[in-house]
Structure formats: C-alpha cells, structure tokens
Amino acid sequence: SLRWTIATVILVLVGQAQLRRDWPVLRPKLPLVMALGCFGFAGFNILFYAAANHTTAINISIVQAGIPMVIFLANFLLFRLGVTWAQILGFILSVFGIALTAGHGDLQALTELSVNRGDALMLIAIVLYGGYAVALRFKPVINWRSLMLVMGSSALCATLPFAVWEYLSGAMVLPDRQGWAVAAYTAIFPAILAQVFFIGGVEMIGANRAGIFVNLVPVMGTLLSIGILGEALQLYHVIALCLVLGGIYLAESSRKGKGNIAT
C-alpha cells in the first residue's frame, strides 16, 4: 500500500493534466484499465509477498519462471497465437538457468523441495501476471502517464483492504528510515518505470516474446547482490546468466510464422 501510495502521488503530479486530455479515449475502457492495475499490479505482488511467508526463495524463483508459459498458453487458447520451437527451447533454457541460480549451483537441492501453501499462492500470482500481460493488447492507445495514473491508483485501492486487515490482525510493521527508502525505491523504479518499460515492450514485440524477459529477474537480482552487497561471483552465476540470455536470444531470434507449433 505504501509503495502504491507514493507511486500514485508521483503519477498524479506528472499525469493529471494528460489524463484530462486522454479521458475521452480512456473512458470506454476504464473498467479494463482498472482491472489491469488491480490484478497485474496489486494482486500479483500481494500474492508474491504472502507466498514468501510460507515457502522458500528457491520455490518462488522456480514458480515465477512459469510466467512465460502462462502467456504462451493464454495467447494460444484465447487467440490461437502460435508458439515457435525456438521460443519453447528458449523458455526451457531460461528456466534451467533460474533453477541453477535458485539452487546455488546445486541442482540436486531442487529434488528436495516440497510443495506448500506458498507455492499455491505463487501459482495464482503467475496466472494473474500472465493474464495481465496478455490483456495489455486491449488497453486504450493513450499516453503512458494517463495509463499508469489509472492503473496505479487502482492498485492502491486494491491494496487498502489488505492493509487494514494486516493492521487489525496486529501484523503491520511500520517502516523505519530504511523502510521508507525501500518503499520509495519500489515506487519509483519497479512500480512506475519498470512497468512503463514492460508495457512498451509488450506493445513492440508482443506478450509471448516480452514475457520471457521476466526470467532475467532472479539472475539480475543475483548479479546486483554481487555488485552492491559484495557477494562472491561463482561459476554457476556465469553459467546461469549465459543460459537465461541464450534462452532469450533463441526466443527473440524466432519469427512469426516460422516453425510455429500451432498457427
């Protein structure tokens, strides 16, 4: 809630004038845009954070890697959009790279994982985000500021009941100075900028091709830990990065209509 409160304040400041200009185009699709914010922004993150209380970071990374496959399946079932063999192979390589990262180079550790409540929450989360990515094709053609203002404020509204529930249950932890800094970072970068770039990427190359880039998240997180927190660079980090980048390259090198599994 704090993340989307800060993001919404920023978006109101930069986007309210643009929203008035875009309102005639936005209004017919307002329920859709609000739903995108509620489910793609708020719903996914609420489930993601809740899952982290019940499962391991390894499980979360592995399950999150299923987002591209959810997008593939949704696009095929709803729009009969074919998937190329290169995209499938790229997806498999990227998942293997994530597994290597999550298991800290020990793939045998993955055989010891158990399925629990947190994994079930993550499965719902990736369905929501995959559906959000696919549904972006129906968004109105308006300025990004207007789009993000409506989606961000909708996400804020969707989080408020959960924040009240957390407060009433005695589980709320008020942020300290570092917590405020983290909230500000997530509001500016993941909540606003990353979403704007992702939406723009989906517009340019489609959800199938854009979705597989999600699998860079755990690998990039590891590399940032090495660069910022001083963690040691291991051989498996390099191998995992090569696998994920190789998978993305394969998926990106495919062309519509060439080698489709289903058309």
Side-chain angles (χ1 to χ4, degrees):
S1 294
L2 185 57
R3 164 185 181 166
W4 287 109
T5 297
I6 297 173
T8 299
V9 169
I10 295 172
L11 290 167
V12 166
L13 293 175
V14 302
Q16 57 179 330
Q18 184 64 46
L19 178 60
R20 286 194 291 268
R21 290 191 289 268
D22 288 334
W23 184 251
V25 179
L26 172 64
R27 185 175 179 179
K29 292 193 174 183
L30 184 61
L32 169 66
V33 176
M34 293 176 66
L36 289 174
C38 290
F39 293 103
F41 288 179
F44 172 77
N45 282 301
I46 288 169
L47 290 167
F48 189 101
Y49 298 151
N53 291 318
H54 303 285
T55 191
T56 64
I58 294 178
N59 285 40
I60 288 176
S61 295
I62 300 279
V63 176
Q64 187 179 4
I67 289 177
M69 186 54 67
V70 172
I71 295 173
F72 291 164
L73 291 174
N75 270 327
F76 173 69
L77 294 175
L78 296 175
F79 311 111
R80 288 298 185 264
L81 183 63
V83 180
T84 67
W85 287 109
Q87 286 176 322
I88 294 295
L89 181 58
F91 167 75
I92 293 172
L93 282 178
S94 67
V95 170
F96 190 74
I98 288 176
L100 196 63
T101 301
H104 300 287
D106 182 13
L107 293 179
Q108 186 177 355
L110 303 180
T111 63
E112 303 172 1
L113 298 178
S114 59
V115 179
N116 54 47
R117 178 184 176 186
D119 301 317
L121 292 175
M122 275 304 299
L123 286 173
I124 300 173
I126 67 169
V127 170
L128 287 184
Y129 202 81
Y132 156 77
V134 172
L136 282 174
R137 65 165 54 202
F138 299 113
K139 70 175 181 60
V141 181
I142 56 176
N143 186 273
W144 68 269
R145 289 171 291 180
S146 302
L147 185 69
M148 285 298 300
L149 176 51
V150 175
M151 293 171 67
S153 57
S154 299
L156 171 60
C157 292
T159 65
L160 292 178
F162 295 92
V164 172
W165 175 35
E166 188 176 58
Y167 173 77
L168 294 177
S169 65
M172 179 174 287
V173 179
L174 296 177
D176 55 12
R177 183 180 300 178
Q178 184 179 29
W180 276 100
V182 171
Y185 170 84
T186 57
I188 295 169
F189 295 99
I192 298 178
L193 294 181
Q195 294 297 342
V196 169
F197 295 146
F198 182 77
I199 292 170
V202 171
E203 286 181 349
M204 294 180 194
I205 63 176
N208 274 6
R209 291 170 61 192
I212 200 167
F213 281 85
V214 173
N215 287 345
L216 272 172
V217 171
V219 177
M220 288 302 176
T222 300
L223 294 179
L224 287 172
S225 297
I226 294 169
I228 297 175
L229 302 180
E231 295 185 5
L233 176 65
Q234 304 292 341
L235 177 61
Y236 73 83
H237 291 142
V238 179
I239 297 173
L241 180 61
C242 291
L243 286 170
V244 175
L245 289 176
I248 291 174
Y249 173 78
L250 280 174
E252 284 297 290
S253 64
S254 64
R255 291 292 180 266
K256 184 177 180 181
K258 292 185 178 181
N260 280 358
I261 295 174
T263 56

